[in-house]
Amino acid sequence: AAAVGRSGDGPHAMTRGLSVAQLCYEDLSVQLFMAVWERPGKDAAFVRGSGREGLNVAGKLLILENITASISPCEFLGGELPGIGDVFVLTAVDAVVYVFGEEGGKVLLEPCPAVCALVRALEARPGIQAQRARAPKRFTGYPDEE
C-alpha cells in the first residue's frame, strides 16, 4: 500500500490510490477485454449506442471521475506528487482510447473532466514524457496499431 499512497499523505490518499488501482486494473481492464473479445473494431457510433461494452466502460469511467473529482485540481491522487494510482489512471485512459479509437475514447471521456485533467497533468511531467518518447510505436503485429 505504501507504493500506492505515501504514508505522509494520510489514510484518505492511500484509500483513494488503492480504490483507483483496483478500479483501473481489475474492473476497467475486464470491461475492455470483454469489449475487444465481443466486438473488435469499435467506433464512436457503437460507443454512443446501446452496446453493453461501451456502457460498462462508461460506467467504470464515471466511478473513476467521482474519485478523481474529489481531489484538488493541482494535486494527484496521492497528494502533491503522482503515485502508482495516478499511473493506473493514465494507463486506463490509454487503453480506452486504444480499444475504442480516438473518437470513441473522446465520447467516453467527455463526461470525465477531472480524469482528463489528471491525465493532462501526468502527461506534462518530464519523466512521463521521456518514457512515452522511448515507447515502441507498435506493441503487436496487428495492422490496427498503425
Side-chain angles (χ1 to χ4, degrees), residues 31-63:
Q31 296 306 320
L32 290 171
F33 172 76
M34 293 305 294
V36 171
W37 181 264
E38 293 184 15
R39 186 172 182 263
K42 304 287 187 275
D43 55 23
F46 173 77
V47 174
R48 283 189 199 98
S50 60
R52 181 179 47 159
E53 306 92 339
L55 293 174
N56 289 344
V57 170
K60 300 298 181 187
L61 286 172
L62 288 176
I63 295 169

Side-chain angles (χ1 to χ4, degrees), residues 15 18 25-26 40-42 55 70 82 87 89-90 92 94 109 137:
T15 301
L18 289 169
Y25 186 69
E26 294 177 10
K42 304 287 187 275
L55 293 174
S70 71
V87 176
V89 172
L90 182 62
D94 284 347
L109 291 164
K137 299 298 177 212

Side-chain angles (χ1 to χ4, degrees), residues 27-143:
D27 299 346
L28 193 54
S29 294
V30 168
Q31 296 306 320
L32 290 171
F33 172 76
M34 293 305 294
V36 171
W37 181 264
E38 293 184 15
R39 186 172 182 263
K42 304 287 187 275
D43 55 23
F46 173 77
V47 174
R48 283 189 199 98
S50 60
R52 181 179 47 159
E53 306 92 339
L55 293 174
N56 289 344
V57 170
K60 300 298 181 187
L61 286 172
L62 288 176
I63 295 169
L64 183 59
E65 173 67 13
N66 289 335
I67 295 169
T68 307
S70 71
I71 63 173
S72 167
C74 60
E75 289 183 344
F76 295 99
L77 292 168
E80 293 181 16
L81 296 172
I84 193 73
D86 299 292
V87 176
F88 272 107
V89 172
L90 182 62
T91 304
V93 168
D94 284 347
V96 167
V97 171
Y98 177 78
V99 170
F100 289 96
E102 290 289 331
E103 190 177 344
K106 184 177 178 181
V107 169
L108 285 165
L109 291 164
E110 189 174 25
C112 303
V115 170
C116 293
L118 178 60
V119 167
R120 283 192 302 275
L122 288 164
E123 289 175 335
R125 309 246 340 144
I128 300 250
Q129 290 175 355
Q131 287 295 345
R132 289 196 163 195
R134 285 194 295 268
K137 299 298 177 212
R138 291 180 65 165
F139 294 100
T140 70
Y142 293 108

